[in-house]
Amino acid sequence: MPAKPTAAQRRRAALRAALDSQLAALGLPPYAGPDRPSLVLSACADAVLRARAAGREPERAAVRAAVRGTLAELAERAPGHSLEVRVPPYGAVQVVEGPRHTRGTPPGVVETDPLTWLALAVGETTWSAQAAAGTLSASGVRADLSWLLPLWPPTSHPAGPGPDDQALS
């Protein structure tokens, strides 16, 4: 009897399926790049932003997978409990070392919408630009995440890789 897939394997499979679904909705071939989680996650976030840039509604499953994956990546890079990053309705993580709280809202909170969060995560926009535009709210002394973003170097395209880029080949 085959072993039951682990939670991590199920998350990776869901991310890959969401990426391929978003690419199909854009009329692009399925992702054929390296199967490393960070590359698939980055490609999924790029595909969601590419859909937005094309004036299309991004696939909900792709947005969910990309937001949850990028929040998990942020939590891995900046472990801690002094700042809560909220991206409703898809998720929230506590990050950044500092005073630990035990109840209620942490000392710092960042909240933004899913597409703004993904644009920040992939480097399509900057923290200061979004703070000035009012598309994110940040409170607390540790609430500036500009030192952690983008999570990966920005792509060569403003809305992510195209069909001729190596990431999708």
Side-chain angles (χ1 to χ4, degrees):
M1 189 157 111
K4 187 175 180 180
T6 66
Q9 289 170 328
R10 288 191 304 273
R11 281 191 304 271
R12 281 194 301 271
L15 175 64
R16 182 60 185 268
L19 168 58
D20 287 342
S21 175
Q22 182 63 74
L23 291 172
L26 290 167
L28 298 172
Y31 176 80
D35 201 24
R36 295 198 330 248
S38 64
L39 294 177
V40 175
L41 177 57
S42 177
C44 187
D46 283 338
V48 165
L49 295 172
R50 181 176 269 286
R52 179 190 65 181
R56 297 181 180 174
E57 185 70 26
E59 297 286 309
R60 184 170 173 83
V63 176
R64 179 179 50 247
V67 167
R68 288 181 179 172
T70 53
L71 286 173
E73 181 71 22
L74 178 70
E76 187 175 307
R77 292 183 187 196
H81 297 281
S82 68
L83 179 67
E84 185 166 283
V85 180
R86 300 173 181 166
V87 184
Y90 299 116
V93 293
Q94 292 187 4
V95 296
V96 183
E97 300 240 352
R100 184 175 179 91
H101 74 288
T102 56
R103 289 189 192 193
T105 302
V109 175
V110 169
E111 188 167 329
T112 190
D113 66 275
L115 296 179
T116 299
W117 169 250
L118 292 177
L120 286 163
V122 302
E124 183 181 287
T125 189
T126 64
W127 182 266
S128 58
Q130 295 309 307
T135 57
L136 64 87
S137 65
S139 64
V141 295
R142 291 174 177 79
D144 182 348
L145 293 177
S146 60
W147 61 282
L148 288 166
L149 299 169
L151 295 174
W152 304 280
T155 60
S156 59
H157 297 282
D164 298 328
D165 288 340
Q166 197 171 33
L168 296 176
S169 59

